[in-house]
Amino acid sequence: MIDAGYEARSRRARQPAATAMRTPVKITRAQARRITALWSDIVAVPYGRRGCCGVTDFRGCHVHRGALVEDEHGRTTGDGQGWGLRVGMDDVRDTAALAELRSRLETGRVARGINQTALARAAGLGRTTVSRALSPDAPGPSSDTVGALGRALRLDVNMLLGLLDTAYGRGPAALAAAGAPGRPIRMWDPHDLEVHFAIEAPSARSGPGDRRRPGRAAALPAYVRRPHDEHLATLVEAADEGHSGMAVLVGSSSTGKTRACWEAVQPLAALGWRLWHPFDPTRAEAALADLNRVEPQTVVWLNDAQQYLGGESGERIAAAIHGLLTDVSRSPVLLLGTLWTEYQNDYLALPRSGSPDPHPQARALLAGRLITLPDRFDHIAITKARALAAAGDRQLAHALQHTDSGRLTQFLAGAPELLRRYETAGPPVRALLEVAMDARRLGAGLHLPVGFLEQAAEDYLSDDEYDDLADNWLDQAFADVTSPVHGRLAPLRRVRPRPTRRSPVTETAPAHSYRLADYLEQHGRRGRARLCPPASFWQAAHDHLTPESLVNLADAARLRHRFRWAEQLAQRAADSGDTDAIARLAEIRLANGARGEADQLLQQAADAGSTGALVRLAVIRHVAGHSEEAEALAQRAADTGDTRGLGQLAEIIEADGDRKRAEELAVRAAAAGDTGPLVRLAEMRELAGVTQGAERLGQLAAKAGDTTALVRLATIRETGGPTARHEAQRLYQRAGRVGNASALARLATERESAGHRGEAEQLARRAAHAGQSFALVRLAEMREAAGAHEEAEKLAQQAIEAGHRFALIRIAAIREAAGDLQGAERLFQEAAAAGNPTAVARLAEMKVSTGDAEAAIRLARQAAETGNPSAAARLADWREAVGDREGAEMLAHLSADAGDTSALTRLAEMRELTGDREGAARLARQAAQRGSTTAVVRLADMREAAGDREAAEALARIAADAGDTQAMVRLAIMREMAGDRRQADHLARAAGDAGNPSAFSRLAELRARPAEDQT
């Protein structure tokens, strides 16, 4: 799209004087980006190759100073003064591909029976543009022109663009020859990247007069930008400026995570960036194989990031991603991923003391890179959607007409209708869907074979339902369950493997397999979490599923105390030669006490290439006293890129007191690219008082590029006396010199305290650029406290631009405490207008403090209605404290309806403490009905502590009935203590079925104690 000033510039450019100079000159990459961003329809590769003379040589274009700028439409741009491009034919690499492109366009035109003038009108192009695009004597057409012509002629646009790229030597074949993963972003279909198909809105007209664009991408509704899009835009802008970055969008199914990522990368598409979706043969294998080959200006697409960060390979992939982000030679790259909330919680959860840490690399990678998406559109987004609907977007108009909950993306993805189809389905269809739900929630792959679904469904039907099945029940059930609810959306979707070739964007699927709709998958994870599948499920899995699925299901069976099935599934997978399965089977044998068999299986898996088995063997051999063999095994794993064994042995040996040997192993791990063991050993020594040795290890880690150890040592020393604090400052300075963000933030605070404001700001900006925006916030707070209000606001705004949403709120809070209510309210309003929910809550509280309770409640109600529960939750506490119990409950329910049950929980505790046990229990039950068992569990604790075991058990049962497996375990123990072993066993089995086997071990411990110890 040419900007508004094009015509004026064009007229000036056509003057003869403007054509006098034609001397090629050098331009910078930044200048090149600006040129190609403005003139996106010029045929050029945005980042050209740099020749030995330093001139950026655009493929198919010439760069001139003071020149006319001709695009391939015959138009001229430029003013004879600035930079310009003139498109030429000299860089066509494959004339046959260009001829084929033109032949397909001309054939399509003839088949449609229209002349070039009519084609130009249908495509929205000029007549001359169409003529030159089809002429063999003219320069090659631009990608925009090809796309417009392809859509107008109902041709495969991706195929046409592929021919254009082949012609200019920049297509997938050229990229593959160069060894770089990915292909140009504009060659991707968003649905191939797993953007959901949207419902097809009823059309007022159809047929020849309906001018909707054909193809799958045409089904996407107009995009409504929301606050998370601004965060992504900042990241994309930084990538365009040469800085690598990563973001993972977190939210429930069908909240728009993948679509947001797709929209975010479109500016990079115009700049020639590639996109790589690691997918084949599995996502984890593809990522491990090719992350080290990713080149600059590539988007790495990690949709459903749990498939990369979970499992045995997850930590190695997380470490490889960290390496890619910090590798300056491959900058810029951009990594975008999506996660459901439950997976985020798994990766971020800290291990219990003494327990192994399954996700340290993933947790470190995700820290500061998560962006949470709301379930609902707020009133601002709804207003934008209505404007787009009024402008003609039928899909948005249809969604707005049929939902008033703000859940537009869920409606567009067909979620309500999918759920209705499941809940009203007949027994055979319901059985198939529940088999699929159970398979996915327990770890089976996306594509479920029809044989598995048929066999597994047997025990999901009652005897009467099974007897009533028709002879062709399976055909009828599949016809029903695959029937679309809206457009292409169906509860189960047939996955059709290509007969002659494998698609680069589709996971390998067995013949006749099906995929469950995402929304139903998530519904199954919640609604069926407590249920253990019946025997037919496990047998069908054994008979039909892939080794990778069998390994995951074996784990699920073991957690549910289905030990026979766990071993059979693992054995089946191991028989296929899957190394992960062999290692998993070894763990099962080890848990059963068969150490010899386990050792043999681990050795077999290690010999077959499983680094996880090598690591496990190394630890087992070390514990058995075979230290040299253990270290050799750990080194074998490290040589293949898995340093976990060296790290684990280093920590074990350090704890045993052999510091020299531990240090040697940590150094070997660092040489293999993992500085984590050095950091952990340094911390262990610092805590043990061996400060000199700790600092030496920290320096070794810093030399290897990791300054984390220096900062951790400094943090520990800060708690000592003056000498230790001086040493801490020295360590911060050392880490800050090499760019550690935390160290820079600490130094900025120290410089501010010493009165060196200019130096403090410089350090804080460096910290913010390195990802630690809180440094600017801290300076703003210090300036505010010192009375420099204008400077404080300026720093707070800089912090917000660097990603710290709460900067203004913190300054406003200081002003409020100082009595400047007017200034505080202004800042709270600014933050609220920028979309910060906490600011709305603070504004409401200010209204309360000034005696305007009605205005406060009005603010809270408005915020809750747009999906922001924080103001109502905080005001509920206030109303309860002043004795307005009815008002408190009303606000707590407003908050809960908007998704925050914490106010109900707090009110329940407050009522319990004041003796209103009935009111407390009622509020706790209401919270449980909304999915939060925290309140009933807290009340159970309080009543058990008060000696009322009967009431505590009744509350624990409410939590258990709501799906809280820990409450089930607790109930089992209570029943055991009360002498009811039968009920205790029943509850333990229920907890086990839901995936929490701890009740079995707790009951075994209790029953092993002497009777007098059980009181």
Side-chain angles (χ1 to χ4, degrees):
M1 179 68 71
I2 303 300
D3 68 330
Y6 163 72
E7 290 296 338
R9 289 197 303 273
S10 181
R11 283 193 297 271
R12 291 197 303 271
R14 291 182 188 279
Q15 296 172 5
T19 65
M21 297 180 63
R22 294 285 186 181
T23 307
V25 295
K26 300 178 182 179
I27 65 171
T28 66
R29 285 194 175 195
Q31 290 166 331
R33 281 198 295 270
R34 285 195 292 272
I35 294 169
T36 54
L38 179 61
W39 308 113
S40 59
D41 57 344
I42 295 175
V43 179
V45 173
Y47 294 122
R49 58 185 182 274
R50 187 171 295 279
C52 60
C53 62
V55 176
T56 300
D57 174 19
F58 281 79
R59 302 174 189 174
C61 307
H62 301 292
V63 184
H64 298 279
R65 175 76 173 178
L68 281 178
V69 183
E70 294 178 348
D71 65 19
E72 48 91 8
H73 304 305
R75 303 178 301 205
T76 57
T77 63
D79 57 6
Q81 304 287 326
W83 299 94
L85 300 177
R86 180 170 58 82
V87 176
M89 283 284 290
D90 60 330
D91 204 38
V92 172
R93 307 294 180 81
D94 189 335
T95 55
L98 189 57
E100 174 68 13
L101 169 64
R102 284 179 162 135
S103 173
R104 288 177 182 267
L105 290 172
E106 179 63 17
T107 300
R109 183 190 67 78
V110 173
R112 295 276 296 167
I114 57 177
N115 58 30
Q116 290 189 2
T117 301
L119 175 57
R121 189 182 309 112
L125 299 171
R127 172 67 174 76
T128 302
T129 299
V130 174
S131 175
R132 290 166 66 88
L134 299 177
S135 170
D137 300 322
S142 73
S143 57
D144 286 345
T145 296
V146 170
L149 291 174
R151 287 188 290 271
L153 294 172
R154 305 294 196 266
L155 299 176
D156 185 336
V157 173
N158 283 339
M159 179 270 296
L160 297 175
L161 291 174
L163 285 170
L164 183 66
D165 274 343
T166 300
Y168 282 95
R170 58 178 188 260
L175 293 173
R183 53 179 171 151
I185 294 172
R186 60 183 172 73
M187 292 187 64
W188 285 93
D189 186 309
H191 299 304
D192 287 335
L193 295 172
E194 299 166 326
V195 174
H196 285 157
F197 287 95
I199 61 172
E200 294 178 1
S203 175
R205 57 177 182 170
S206 58
D210 187 353
R211 297 193 57 182
R212 285 182 297 169
R213 290 189 304 164
R216 294 195 295 171
L220 289 179
Y223 190 67
V224 179
R225 290 181 69 86
R226 293 185 281 165
H228 58 266
D229 294 298
E230 305 311 317
H231 292 290
L232 286 174
T234 301
L235 200 66
V236 169
E237 288 172 7
D240 179 33
E241 292 169 2
H243 305 290
S244 293
M246 177 179 180
V248 176
L249 274 63
V250 180
S252 303
S253 172
S254 305
T255 50
K257 302 182 296 297
T258 313
R259 176 74 188 277
C261 292
W262 171 251
E263 296 296 331
V265 302
Q266 295 314 299
L268 300 179
L271 297 174
W273 277 54
R274 295 191 297 274
L275 185 147
W276 175 48
H277 187 194
F279 211 104
D280 186 31
T282 67
R283 301 187 191 218
E285 289 178 89
L288 278 176
D290 289 334
L291 271 169
N292 65 328
R293 297 198 302 115
V294 171
E295 292 192 354
Q297 300 139 34
T298 299
V299 175
V300 180
W301 192 264
L302 302 176
N303 198 47
D304 291 335
Q306 71 276 4
Q307 299 197 43
Y308 302 97
L309 301 179
E312 184 177 343
S313 302
E315 286 294 277
R316 295 173 62 196
I317 291 174
I321 291 173
H322 175 77
L324 174 60
L325 288 169
T326 55
D327 186 348
V328 178
S329 67
R330 293 193 282 169
S331 180
V333 294
L334 178 62
L335 292 96
L336 295 178
T338 65
L339 269 179
W340 285 355
T341 306
E342 50 263 44
Y343 290 116
Q344 171 200 248
N345 296 338
D346 288 344
Y347 297 139
L348 297 186
L350 292 171
R352 295 180 180 176
S353 178
S355 300
D357 188 352
H359 304 298
Q361 296 275 17
R363 185 165 58 252
L365 180 68
L366 295 176
R369 295 188 170 106
L370 298 174
I371 300 174
T372 301
L373 268 70
D375 282 349
R376 297 173 172 85
F377 278 37
D378 61 19
H379 71 283
I380 297 174
I382 290 289
T383 301
K384 293 179 182 177
R386 285 176 178 150
L388 290 169
D393 192 288
R394 291 199 307 275
Q395 289 166 299
L396 281 177
H398 187 58
L400 287 164
Q401 182 182 356
H402 288 84
T403 179
D404 57 3
S405 65
R407 296 176 178 268
L408 287 187
T409 54
Q410 292 91 331
F411 181 86
L412 288 167
E417 185 63 16
L418 286 170
L419 190 58
R420 189 196 67 79
R421 282 281 296 276
Y422 164 63
E423 291 174 342
T424 60
V429 169
R430 193 177 183 91
L432 290 175
L433 289 174
E434 288 177 350
V435 168
M437 289 177 182
D438 288 347
R440 288 295 296 138
R441 71 185 174 88
L442 297 183
L446 287 173
H447 303 138
L448 303 172
V450 65
F452 163 73
L453 294 169
E454 177 186 8
Q455 184 178 345
E458 180 179 333
D459 288 348
Y460 287 75
L461 299 165
S462 69
D463 290 342
D464 289 342
E465 290 168 346
Y466 191 79
D467 290 341
D468 289 340
L469 291 177
D471 291 341
N472 64 338
W473 74 271
L474 189 64
D475 292 338
Q476 292 177 354
F478 273 115
D480 190 348
V481 81
T482 58
S483 175
V485 296
H486 285 301
R488 296 176 57 113
L489 305 170
L492 278 180
R493 178 168 61 84
R494 170 77 180 273
V495 180
R496 187 184 301 277
R498 297 180 184 272
T500 58
R501 63 184 177 91
R502 297 174 65 181
S503 168
V505 295
T506 305
E507 183 179 281
T508 304
H512 305 297
S513 60
Y514 293 82
R515 177 173 177 174
L516 180 67
D518 279 358
Y519 191 80
L520 288 182
E521 179 182 331
Q522 189 168 74
H523 177 76
R525 289 177 185 273
R526 291 192 301 265
R528 298 183 60 79
R530 296 174 57 190
L531 302 177
C532 183
S536 64
F537 174 91
W538 304 109
Q539 185 64 59
H542 177 276
D543 295 345
H544 294 283
L545 296 186
T546 63
E548 184 179 6
S549 292
L550 291 174
V551 169
N552 294 334
L553 293 179
D555 278 346
R558 180 178 55 80
L559 285 173
R560 288 155 180 78
H561 272 229
R562 270 51 174 189
F563 296 120
R564 180 175 65 86
W565 283 118
E567 185 155 351
Q568 287 187 20
L569 295 173
Q571 183 68 64
R572 173 79 170 191
D575 289 344
S576 70
D578 185 280
T579 57
D580 290 341
I582 297 170
R584 203 65 53 89
L585 182 60
E587 294 294 342
I588 293 173
R589 298 280 166 81
L590 194 62
N592 293 336
R595 295 182 178 275
E597 291 183 38
D599 197 274
Q600 290 177 6
L601 286 166
L602 284 171
Q603 188 63 61
Q604 179 186 345
D607 292 341
S610 171
T611 58
L614 282 172
V615 171
R616 189 76 176 95
L617 266 179
V619 174
I620 291 173
R621 297 287 165 82
H622 177 80
V623 172
H626 306 296
S627 299
E628 291 187 8
E629 186 180 357
E631 291 176 20
L633 289 166
Q635 187 61 55
R636 276 179 59 190
D639 291 342
T640 62
D642 190 340
T643 59
R644 289 177 298 164
L646 290 174
Q648 290 178 25
L649 289 184
E651 292 182 50
I652 294 171
I653 292 171
E654 176 78 12
D656 291 341
D658 188 352
R659 293 193 173 114
K660 181 179 179 182
R661 193 68 191 140
E663 188 172 324
E664 290 175 359
L665 290 170
V667 169
R668 283 160 64 181
D674 182 8
T675 57
L678 280 174
V679 174
R680 289 190 289 275
L681 290 194
E683 195 167 15
M684 291 170 72
R685 294 192 185 178
E686 184 73 21
L687 292 171
V690 189
T691 57
Q692 187 174 356
E695 190 166 335
R696 184 178 68 257
L697 291 173
Q699 290 170 354
L700 288 173
K703 287 181 180 178
D706 186 350
T707 56
T708 306
L710 295 176
V711 174
R712 289 188 182 180
L713 297 182
T715 304
I716 296 171
R717 291 187 189 181
E718 275 189 320
T719 61
T723 302
R725 287 194 291 273
H726 176 74
E727 287 294 307
Q729 202 65 24
R730 180 176 57 81
L731 290 171
Y732 283 134
Q733 289 170 354
R734 179 173 294 171
R737 280 196 293 271
V738 290
N740 183 280
S742 297
L744 289 167
R746 301 268 188 154
L747 291 171
T749 303
E750 185 274 330
R751 292 285 81 196
E752 180 74 13
S753 299
H756 303 292
R757 289 190 167 184
E759 189 177 349
E761 285 192 30
Q762 186 179 17
L763 287 164
R765 290 193 189 95
R766 286 180 60 198
H769 186 70
Q772 184 64 277
S773 59
F774 183 73
L776 289 166
V777 179
R778 186 72 188 103
L779 288 195
E781 290 177 328
M782 297 171 77
R783 299 275 171 93
E784 180 69 22
H789 304 308
E790 191 172 331
E791 292 182 34
E793 283 191 38
K794 181 180 177 183
L795 286 166
Q797 290 290 356
Q798 291 176 13
I800 290 172
E801 291 169 4
H804 199 293
R805 299 177 62 204
F806 294 91
L808 275 180
I809 292 175
R810 296 174 74 103
I811 303 305
I814 295 173
R815 289 198 187 173
E816 184 181 14
D820 182 6
L821 299 183
Q822 185 176 359
E825 184 171 354
R826 177 176 60 81
L827 293 178
F828 281 137
Q829 286 173 341
E830 282 185 31
N836 192 305
T838 304
V840 180
R842 297 302 300 271
L843 270 176
E845 289 176 351
M846 284 195 70
K847 296 296 182 185
V848 169
S849 66
T850 57
D852 193 352
E854 186 178 340
I857 293 174
R858 186 169 60 251
L859 271 172
R861 186 183 296 278
Q862 290 171 352
E865 288 172 352
T866 58
N868 174 4
S870 57
R874 295 171 74 152
L875 288 186
D877 296 345
W878 162 67
R879 297 310 304 170
E880 182 77 8
V882 298
D884 181 8
R885 291 192 164 191
E886 184 178 345
E889 286 193 32
M890 180 272 292
L891 288 163
H893 286 130
L894 269 179
S895 176
D897 290 342
D900 182 359
T901 58
S902 64
L904 285 173
T905 300
R906 289 194 299 275
L907 289 191
E909 291 187 41
M910 293 165 76
R911 301 271 171 99
E912 183 77 10
L913 290 170
T914 57
D916 183 7
R917 300 181 69 183
E918 183 179 344
R922 176 173 51 81
L923 290 167
R925 284 194 296 270
Q926 290 172 358
Q929 289 166 0
R930 287 172 166 83
S932 172
T933 59
T934 304
V936 287
V937 170
R938 288 286 297 122
L939 291 192
D941 289 341
M942 296 168 78
R943 295 192 184 179
E944 188 170 22
D948 189 349
R949 288 193 174 185
E950 184 178 350
E953 186 172 330
L955 288 164
R957 191 171 296 279
I958 293 173
D961 290 343
D964 188 326
T965 61
Q966 280 300 123
M968 295 179 201
V969 174
R970 184 172 182 172
L971 269 177
I973 295 169
M974 286 178 169
R975 288 288 80 211
E976 179 73 17
M977 300 292 285
D980 186 355
R981 287 198 166 192
R982 185 181 64 81
Q983 185 66 10
D985 288 340
H986 172 76
L987 288 163
R989 283 194 296 273
D993 287 351
N996 187 342
S998 61
F1000 293 107
S1001 57
R1002 295 291 303 280
L1003 292 183
E1005 289 174 11
L1006 285 173
R1007 292 172 185 179
R1009 293 181 189 174
E1012 59 271 17
D1013 291 342
Q1014 296 185 27
T1015 58

